[in-house]
Amino acid sequence: MNRGANRGGLHWSRSLRFRLLAVTVAGLTVAVVLAGLVLSGLFREHVQRQFEAALVQQLDQVTARLEFDAQGQPVIAAQSLSDPRWLKPYSGLYWQVDAMAPDGRGRAGVLRSRSLWDTSLTLQVDALADGAVHMHEVSGPQGAPLLVLERTVRAEGVDAARWRLIVAADLQATQAATAQFTRVLALSLAALLVLLAAAAWAQVAVGLRPLQALQRGLQDVQQARTTRLQGAFPAEMQPLVDDFNAVLERNAEVVERARTQAGNLAHALKTPLSVLENAACAPAPSDGAALAALVREQVQVARRHIDWHLARSRVAASAHLPGQRTALESVVGGLVRVMNKVHAGRGVDITVALPDAPLFFAGEAQDLQEMLGNLLDNACKWAQSTVRLQAQVLGGQPSQMVVSVEDDGPGIGAAQRAQAVERGVRLDETVPGTGLGLAIVQDLAALYGGRLDLEPADLGGLRVVLVLPAARETA
């Protein structure tokens, strides 16, 4: 079973590592691809703009060199153009002048650069305003892709004469540069992605290493090699480790307490069971009343021990549960009404003094009733005429409250106070009881982190001071 659990834990760890790595690598891949597309697009746009700007300069140069003869015909001295590519056939840089008719049609290639050799550029009919520049992409000599810029000019003094100036440049070099940049960028980003994936794997491996240490610690606890999680953990995981160790310690306390309670109960029941066994083995007495009284006495002793241990077990299981709160005023009010009925024949006056602000006990109502009920019952049994209950809050953290119950009875001497809270001890056999009241209150208070003190009362009798954890009033 342990081996199966271990394999499940390792599978969970590997699965978590795989999922984290897959998500990280997928995110990095998307980011790298988007970055590549953006960079490639920016580079292509930059190169295109640079290419267009250079071509505009060439168009301006051709426009500046354009002249008209006496007949209004265009003339461009090829030697006046600075770029030698104008003179080299199929060099990739071309200019051309077309005659434009009023209807938009005209005669192509009236003048053209030597680089066009025996071809001319054919453009679609385009309505251009004077001086406006239009841009096209067409196929040029030998099928090369060209970027074409065109503008129209008029001959001076001749209104109807319009001419279209064209410059064109081969896009192959630009496209090749862009393609080369894209290839280099793709290889670089691929290498970067590999490095980032390796870094992500290392980060995931290092980041999950504390979980592996935690898993080994849990296996050690499960296989009883240790009783708590041990080792050095990151600050982010230490609260989890501390809480888990607290749970382990709490469970160990519960198990040890249960073992102790079982042992104590078994030991306490040995005596009445032995007495009953001896009585059963002895010759039958002539008077059955004595045997019946013995049986009743021992059964009562066994019942007292069982009730006491059951009360301790119940409180031990619920004493530290969070969120418990009980209003003191409601519990005290109910108990006072019960005591007034139970001790009505003795004429005991029970007075209660509680603070104006509500007090809340950080525990179960049944436990508070058990403790205060025992204290009030004892006080009413011993009081001559008056029992007084008071409560207040103690400052500090954690918050505590003090409940005192005093009477005007004979009281208890200082030498007998420690003996009064022992189990089954009754200082006066003439007063009915089991001798477990104060012992139960002391044990219950201790389980809640409180205490029980016995003091002389101002009324002349005994004051019992009970200190318990207090809960805050909810908003």
Side-chain angles (χ1 to χ4, degrees):
M1 180 176 179
N2 293 341
R3 290 194 297 270
N6 294 345
R7 287 196 298 270
L10 290 174
H11 173 72
W12 173 85
S13 177
R14 294 193 186 101
S15 177
L16 177 60
R17 182 184 303 172
F18 174 78
R19 289 196 298 267
L20 289 176
L21 186 59
V23 171
T24 304
V25 172
L28 290 175
T29 302
V30 172
V32 168
V33 170
L34 290 178
L37 293 176
V38 171
L39 291 176
S40 179
L42 290 176
F43 179 79
R44 184 182 300 107
E45 183 179 359
H46 173 73
V47 171
Q48 184 75 10
R49 287 182 178 179
Q50 292 292 327
F51 188 80
E52 292 171 3
L55 199 57
V56 169
Q57 292 179 354
Q58 298 288 5
L59 179 60
D60 291 339
Q61 183 183 20
V62 172
T63 305
R65 297 295 185 269
L66 177 63
E67 296 179 355
F68 295 92
D69 59 15
Q71 288 77 28
Q73 296 300 311
V75 177
I76 296 178
Q79 292 77 9
S80 64
L81 300 177
S82 60
D83 197 320
R85 289 179 296 172
W86 300 119
L87 303 175
K88 182 179 178 181
Y90 307 131
S91 63
L93 182 61
Y94 315 103
W95 62 263
Q96 180 175 299
V97 179
D98 295 346
M100 300 293 294
D103 59 357
R105 300 182 180 275
R107 190 160 41 92
V110 175
L111 290 177
R112 60 179 182 270
S113 64
R114 185 174 179 80
S115 56
L116 280 172
W117 197 243
D118 56 354
T119 63
S120 62
L121 301 176
T122 302
L123 276 65
Q124 63 184 2
V125 177
D126 197 1
L128 290 172
D130 292 344
V133 176
H134 282 195
M135 185 181 304
H136 307 281
E137 287 191 14
V138 299
S139 296
Q142 300 178 338
L146 300 179
L147 180 66
V148 176
L149 269 63
E150 59 174 332
R151 69 157 52 113
T152 61
V153 296
R154 291 179 181 272
E156 295 181 3
V158 182
D159 295 338
R162 299 177 67 233
W163 307 89
R164 179 163 65 174
L165 274 64
I166 301 171
V167 294
D170 195 340
L171 288 171
Q172 293 184 82
T174 301
Q175 294 173 348
T178 302
Q180 177 65 19
F181 174 81
T182 302
R183 285 193 295 270
V184 173
L185 179 64
L187 293 175
S188 301
L189 292 180
L192 177 62
L193 179 60
V194 172
L195 293 177
L196 291 177
W201 179 87
Q203 184 178 10
V204 170
V206 173
L208 293 181
R209 189 169 298 167
L211 291 180
Q212 296 176 351
L214 180 61
Q215 179 185 2
R216 290 192 295 270
L218 291 175
Q219 293 173 359
D220 291 339
V221 172
Q222 183 182 18
Q223 298 173 6
R225 289 194 290 264
T226 181
T227 59
R228 56 186 289 118
L229 291 177
Q230 298 177 346
F233 297 95
E236 294 79 7
M237 293 183 59
Q238 193 60 46
L240 174 63
V241 174
D242 294 340
D243 291 343
F244 190 82
N245 283 332
V247 172
L248 292 177
E249 292 172 2
R250 173 65 178 163
N251 289 339
E253 291 176 3
V254 170
V255 172
E256 183 61 28
R257 188 181 297 116
R259 186 183 294 112
T260 302
Q261 291 287 353
N264 291 341
L265 180 60
H267 180 74
L269 293 179
K270 279 184 179 180
T271 299
L273 290 177
S274 298
V275 173
L276 293 176
E277 182 182 12
N278 293 333
C281 295
S286 57
D287 184 8
L291 178 59
L294 177 64
V295 171
R296 284 195 300 270
E297 177 186 1
Q298 297 305 315
V299 169
Q300 290 177 358
V301 171
R303 181 179 292 113
R304 287 199 301 267
H305 287 297
I306 291 174
D307 291 342
W308 185 78
H309 284 286
L310 287 178
R312 279 183 58 92
S313 300
R314 179 178 54 79
V315 176
S318 62
H320 298 284
L321 293 178
Q324 300 183 111
R325 58 196 305 270
T326 302
L328 177 64
E329 183 177 4
S330 61
V331 173
V332 170
L335 290 173
V336 169
R337 288 191 295 271
V338 171
M339 296 302 162
N340 284 331
K341 293 180 181 180
V342 173
H343 301 281
R346 300 189 66 247
V348 177
D349 180 31
I350 304 175
T351 61
V352 177
L354 299 179
D356 295 334
L359 285 181
F360 294 92
F361 165 60
E364 289 190 352
Q366 184 177 352
D367 299 329
L368 185 61
Q369 291 172 353
E370 181 80 16
M371 291 184 282
L372 295 184
N374 276 296
L375 297 185
L376 286 173
D377 187 49
N378 281 343
C380 290
K381 288 177 182 178
W382 293 99
Q384 295 181 5
S385 62
T386 303
V387 172
R388 184 164 62 195
L389 184 146
Q390 295 176 307
Q392 62 180 349
V393 177
L394 289 180
Q397 293 293 334
S399 180
Q400 292 181 318
M401 65 179 184
V402 178
V403 181
S404 64
V405 179
E406 56 184 317
D407 60 72
D408 60 350
I412 301 177
Q416 296 177 310
R417 290 173 192 161
Q419 186 182 4
V421 296
E422 294 180 1
R423 263 188 302 166
V425 174
R426 298 172 59 192
L427 299 180
D428 190 346
E429 298 290 339
T430 63
V431 177
T434 62
L436 292 174
L438 292 179
I440 290 177
V441 175
Q442 179 174 257
D443 288 340
L444 295 184
L447 289 173
Y448 276 105
R451 68 179 188 275
L452 181 70
D453 297 326
L454 304 182
E455 303 173 353
D458 296 337
L459 298 177
L462 178 69
R463 176 192 290 121
V464 182
V465 179
L466 181 62
V467 181
L468 294 173
R472 294 182 178 180
E473 182 179 3
T474 58

